[in-house]
Amino acid sequence: MINYKLLTPGPLTTTDTVKKEMLVDHCTWDSDYKQITQQIRAELLDLAHVSPDEYTCVLMQGSGTFGVESAITSSVGKTGKLLILSNGAYGERQEDICKHAGLNYRIQHFHYNEIPDAETVKAILDEDPNITHVSMVHSETTSGILNDIESIAYVVKPAGKVFIVDAMSSFCGVEIPVAEWGIDFIISSANKCIQGVPGFSFIICRLDELMKCEGKAVSLSLDLYDQWKGMFDGKWRFTSPTHVVLAFAKALEEMKQEGGIPARNRRYTENNRLLITEMEKLGYKTYIDAAHQGPVITTFFYPETANYTFKEMYEFIKARGYAIYPGKVTEAETFRIGNIGEIYQEDIEKLISIYREFLASKTEKP
Ligand SMILES: *Cc1c(COP(=O)(O)O)cnc(C)c1O
């Protein structure tokens, strides 16, 4: 058995009890199973602070990107124009989605360590009336920055545009009042802050905007409208990832037992602060400043004076029980440490002691 915990932003470490749910081969046509799906959909609406009169939740097979691609391609379609606000690789991936689907889009780049600002967005919307939709990432896992979707919503909604948010690594790790902020489509997946296993994504959709998606999709399997129509009684349109669904139902139950979103946010935030404080004592600096650092993953500069490679550091830590992550920002040498998933204070403390041991082994004279 592999014996390490994941300090990566997905896949991430899950509980044994969540994994055990997958030992059953569940049938899908009967009411038991459809009931599980319906229950999951209803709970996700509650977690998003929306009412079923105004919103619905669609589950979509595949990883998180499948959900983002489904929402963008089904709602923008061939007739709309999407403004993408990007400050990381997941924003850039939305551009890639548009290119593949042949959608009309415009991308506004922001530096990876800066958040998209409302004034810039307002100016673009004033200047380009063809824009119908605006999309952005909430927690940019590329760097760990937490974008301010609320301030952007306040310029997107008065302008009458559809607002799409990739909240993959923030949904349930951070409170998001979806209805209050007027978000029309918000996407996350089974294997991020809810701590299920990978295999499906979910899209919380404002019903009146979802209705407008009929016939717009450019892909059969990612057609959000058809997936929703097919799922009305809890039946999945194509083969359901049954094991993943059972594990996810358990993960939701465990999140409730922990104390819901507030408790999860507290655990992630406290572990993240502890990690940063202790890493700074060891001489590592963060790429994102404290004001914008999100609670799930941290990018650290790779020290210029280091007499070791990332691979050496990674192997040393992995042999002692933890897998960390390479950096993804383009202009600097960095690495990342995630604290999303079944990770506790003792794990952070253990990681820090492994770092101390590693750094000591590098300063000893041979
Ligand atoms: C994890 C993640 C995704 C989805 O990635 P997949 O590899 O397709 O699951 C999308 N956006 C963000 C911000 C993410 O963190």
Side-chain angles (χ1 to χ4, degrees), residues 11 29 62 141 212 338:
W29 65 267
T141 321
K212 295 182 196 159

Side-chain angles (χ1 to χ4, degrees), residues 42-71:
E43 283 185 30
L44 289 172
L45 293 183
D46 282 345
L47 292 166
H49 309 289
V50 298
S51 135
D53 300 333
E54 252 191 311
Y55 284 83
T56 189
C57 177
V58 183
L59 311 182
M60 181 65 73
Q61 293 93 332
S63 78
T65 304
F66 291 59
V68 177
E69 184 156 7
S70 172

Side-chain angles (χ1 to χ4, degrees), residues 68-84 94 97-98 101-106 130-135 162 164 185 209 212-213 216-218 224:
V68 177
E69 184 156 7
S70 172
I72 289 179
T73 57
S74 301
S75 66
V76 178
K78 293 283 188 192
T79 50
K81 179 173 181 181
L82 177 65
L83 169 63
I84 303 165
Q94 294 187 1
I97 287 170
C98 291
L103 304 188
N104 192 7
Y105 73 93
R106 167 167 174 177
N130 290 331
I131 293 168
T132 52
H133 295 63
V134 177
S135 68
V162 178
I164 304 172
F185 297 93
E209 286 305 327
K212 295 182 196 159
C213 296
K216 274 200 202 168
V218 294
L224 184 61

